[in-house]
Amino acid sequence: MSEFAFELALCAALEERRDGIIARQLGGSVADPGGRILDVVCVEPGPAFDERRRLTGETIPDAAVRSAVGPGRFRYWKDAFDCHPDRARRATERAVEVGFFESKRRNGREYVRQVARYPDWYGAITGIENKPDLGRPGDLESQLRTDVSLGLVDEAILATESYVTRAHVNRIPEAVGVWRVHREGEAVTEIEVVREPTTLAVDEPGIEPLAFHPGRTDVAVVSSARKARARRRLAERAYGKGWRTYEFPDCGACEPTAEAALPFCAWKGDIVDAAAECRPACGGYEPAAPADVDLAAERERWTPWLADPDGKRRRQSGLERFS
C-alpha cells in the first residue's frame, strides 16, 4: 500500500469517527517554516466553532487576524498592520476576498474592519505521522522527536499498517501514540491503539531541531507566544484546506469510492495519486474524462465545515458615508 493511499484511507476513517476538522500535508514547524510537514492534522472544535464556520470556508490570513483591524470602526488598512506593506496588502485583499474583512473607500483610500471578532474556535490539535511500512522508516525517529520537543500539537501519533513490535515502540519517543491501521480494500476497518499518546506541553516554550550533525544538533528555542500563533495558523490552514486536495486522472479505470469519493483505480486495486501514478504509459490506462466529483460538496456532506456560509457582513449607522 502506498503512503498516499494509506493517508487518504486514514483521513476518510478519521472523518467518519471524529468530530472537527481533518487535513493533511501541513507545516508543523515554527523557526524553520517548511522544515516539518505533518501528514495528517485533526483539529477538535473549540467553544466558538459554530461562529468560525459561519464566517468563511477559506483560511483566514494570519496577518489579518493579528492586525489592529477590529469589528468596530473602519480603519485605513496601512495603519492596522505591523509588517511589510506588501504582506499587509496581500493579507488585506485576501481577508476581504474570503469575507473576514469588509471594505469601503473614502477619498481614494481603502478602509477595512472585521465582519466579526475572530472566534476561539479550535481545541486540541493532533498530528499524525503515517508510515504504513515500518520496514522503511526513513526519518521517522527524528520527525517524531521534533514533534515532541517542539510541542506544537497536543498529541503526536504514529499510524502504521505494519505489525508493531516492542522494538518498534522502543525506537520512538515515549510520548508518541501508536496506531495500527487495518483495512480491507480501500476502507479502514479498525484503528487499533497500540499505545496512547501523552499530552504535550503546548503552552510552554519548545525546542525545535534545525539541523543534525555528528555529535551535535542545532536547535531553536520557540517561545510559548510564537507557538500559540503557529497553532492558530495550523488550525486555520487545516480549516481552509481539508484533506481532499487530490485530483482524478483522465482515465476510465479510476472512479470515486461511494463512501468518501477517494480516487480508486480498479486496475491497480487501490487508491491512486493521479499526479504521480497515472499516465498513458500505465497498463490499465483507459482514456476518459476525469470523474466529475465535487470534493468541496463531499467535505461538506461528511463534516461540519461549510463551503460557502452566509457570512456576517453588516452595516452600522453612520458608516455609509465611506461608500
PDB file of all heavy atoms in Angstrom, residues 61 124 168 315:
ATOM      1  N   PRO A  61      -6.163  34.765   6.589  1.00  0.00           N
ATOM      2  CA  PRO A  61      -4.726  35.059   6.710  1.00  0.00           C
ATOM      3  C   PRO A  61      -4.342  35.418   8.137  1.00  0.00           C
ATOM      4  O   PRO A  61      -5.025  36.190   8.810  1.00  0.00           O
ATOM      5  CB  PRO A  61      -4.537  36.267   5.769  1.00  0.00           C
ATOM      6  CG  PRO A  61      -5.693  36.227   4.840  1.00  0.00           C
ATOM      7  CD  PRO A  61      -6.833  35.639   5.606  1.00  0.00           C
ATOM      8  N   ALA A 124      -8.071  20.967  20.966  1.00  0.00           N
ATOM      9  CA  ALA A 124      -6.846  20.183  20.848  1.00  0.00           C
ATOM     10  C   ALA A 124      -6.524  19.869  19.392  1.00  0.00           C
ATOM     11  O   ALA A 124      -7.420  19.670  18.563  1.00  0.00           O
ATOM     12  CB  ALA A 124      -6.989  18.884  21.644  1.00  0.00           C
ATOM     13  N   HIS A 168       9.961  -1.693  17.714  1.00  0.00           N
ATOM     14  CA  HIS A 168       9.447  -0.503  17.022  1.00  0.00           C
ATOM     15  C   HIS A 168       9.054   0.569  18.040  1.00  0.00           C
ATOM     16  O   HIS A 168       9.425   1.742  17.901  1.00  0.00           O
ATOM     17  CB  HIS A 168       8.212  -0.852  16.177  1.00  0.00           C
ATOM     18  CG  HIS A 168       8.516  -1.664  14.964  1.00  0.00           C
ATOM     19  ND1 HIS A 168       7.736  -2.723  14.583  1.00  0.00           N
ATOM     20  CD2 HIS A 168       9.512  -1.562  14.048  1.00  0.00           C
ATOM     21  CE1 HIS A 168       8.224  -3.253  13.469  1.00  0.00           C
ATOM     22  NE2 HIS A 168       9.305  -2.568  13.134  1.00  0.00           N
ATOM     23  N   ARG A 315     -24.098  46.409   8.337  1.00  0.00           N
ATOM     24  CA  ARG A 315     -23.981  47.852   8.215  1.00  0.00           C
ATOM     25  C   ARG A 315     -24.206  48.467   9.583  1.00  0.00           C
ATOM     26  O   ARG A 315     -25.001  47.992  10.386  1.00  0.00           O
ATOM     27  CB  ARG A 315     -25.022  48.405   7.227  1.00  0.00           C
ATOM     28  CG  ARG A 315     -24.857  47.874   5.823  1.00  0.00           C
ATOM     29  CD  ARG A 315     -25.984  48.362   4.943  1.00  0.00           C
ATOM     30  NE  ARG A 315     -25.928  49.793   4.689  1.00  0.00           N
ATOM     31  CZ  ARG A 315     -25.203  50.335   3.715  1.00  0.00           C
ATOM     32  NH1 ARG A 315     -24.457  49.584   2.953  1.00  0.00           N
ATOM     33  NH2 ARG A 315     -25.218  51.628   3.509  1.00  0.00           N
TER      34      ARG A 315
END
